[in-house]
Amino acid sequence: LSNAKYNGVFYKDKLYFYLAGTDDKKKMILNEINLPGAVLNKFNYQDIRHAAPVIAEDLEIEVPRYATVSGNRMLISVMPFYRQGNAPKKVSQRRSDVLIRRSTVHCDTVTIAVPEGYTIESVPSEISVDSRFGSYSLKAINNGDNVICIRRLEMKKGRHAQETYTELIEFFKKVSLADNTKISFLKS
C-alpha cells in the first residue's frame, strides 16, 4: 500500500495523473514506480482544494519478485518507490553555474511487513548526508512485525559556482546509494 500527498511543486506533476483516464493513469503509475513485475491492484486520486492544494494518491501494488532470496536470507530495498536515480552526468568542462530554481522537501514513509516465515536479521543504520545543495536522511525502525523506513530529501534553492558541480554529483551518488540500502530477513 502507498498513501501519498503531493503539494507545492509536486502538486502539478500529480495533477496529470488525477486528470488522466483510467488506462492512462495505470500506465503512468507503473512507469513511475518502475518495479519489474509490479501489479497495480487499486488506485485512487483526490484533488483537495485548499489555499495550498493537495493531490492525495492511494495505491495498492503487488511486486511478486521484489525481494532477492539467497539461501535462507531475503533482501529487500528500504525505498521501493521514488528512489533517487542516477546522479547527473559528469561534464569535463562545465561552463554554467549550478542552479537549483526552488527549494523542495520530499518525505516518504514506507512500512515493510516482515514476510511470513522470516524474522528481521538487520536493518540499516541511520544515514545522513549534508551538502551545500541540500540534505538527506534515511532511518529504518525495527517494529517487530514490520520495518518503518523514513526518508527525507531537501534541496536548497540557490546558484552555485560551476566548480561545485562535482560536489552535486557526489551528493546525488550518496543519496542513490542510501536509497538502495537493504533490509535483511532470515528464514525462521
Side-chain angles (χ1 to χ4, degrees):
L1 288 173
S2 171
N3 308 97
K5 292 188 176 163
Y6 300 91
N7 58 7
V9 297
F10 301 112
Y11 173 84
K12 185 180 83 173
D13 295 338
K14 285 298 175 173
L15 187 60
Y16 294 112
F17 286 71
Y18 172 75
L19 296 172
T22 303
D23 290 339
D24 288 337
K25 273 183 190 155
K26 191 170 186 174
K27 287 177 191 170
M28 292 164 71
I29 293 165
L30 290 171
N31 186 48
E32 183 178 65
I33 61 172
N34 194 24
L35 292 170
V39 177
L40 182 60
N41 295 326
K42 293 181 188 173
F43 58 91
N44 185 49
Y45 288 89
Q46 270 186 296
D47 187 8
I48 304 166
R49 296 292 177 134
H50 294 294
V54 173
I55 293 285
E57 174 187 71
D58 296 308
L59 307 175
E60 185 180 305
I61 303 164
E62 282 182 52
V63 189
R65 295 174 301 280
Y66 180 63
T68 302
V69 179
S70 177
N72 61 348
R73 282 194 172 73
M74 180 186 294
L75 302 174
I76 297 177
S77 175
V78 295
M79 277 294 124
F81 310 112
Y82 316 116
R83 290 185 288 219
Q84 176 60 43
N86 296 327
K89 292 185 183 200
K90 197 167 189 172
V91 178
S92 59
Q93 292 189 344
R94 186 171 172 96
R95 293 189 176 100
S96 58
D97 288 348
V98 174
L99 178 63
I100 300 172
R101 294 188 186 277
R102 61 179 58 92
S103 295
T104 58
V105 177
H106 195 147
C107 298
D108 292 307
T109 301
V110 175
T111 302
I112 298 171
V114 175
E116 195 173 309
Y118 285 84
T119 57
I120 299 169
E121 180 180 34
S122 66
V123 296
S125 301
E126 191 167 343
I127 300 170
S128 185
V129 180
D130 288 302
S131 85
R132 69 178 79 214
F133 306 105
S135 61
Y136 171 92
S137 64
L138 177 68
K139 185 176 187 177
I141 303 162
N142 179 343
N143 226 9
D145 293 337
N146 54 47
V147 178
I148 300 168
C149 304
I150 304 165
R151 175 195 192 264
R152 184 177 192 277
L153 175 62
E154 177 182 4
M155 296 302 297
K156 298 176 187 172
K157 176 182 177 178
R159 181 180 295 272
H160 307 277
Q162 63 195 38
E163 297 81 25
T164 64
Y165 186 67
T166 306
E167 196 179 318
L168 177 68
I169 292 171
E170 288 307 311
F171 174 70
F172 279 119
K173 281 182 181 177
K174 289 176 183 175
V175 169
S176 181
L177 189 65
D179 278 351
N180 286 295
T181 303
K182 308 280 189 238
I183 300 167
S184 178
F185 297 99
L186 197 57
K187 197 165 203 149
S188 45

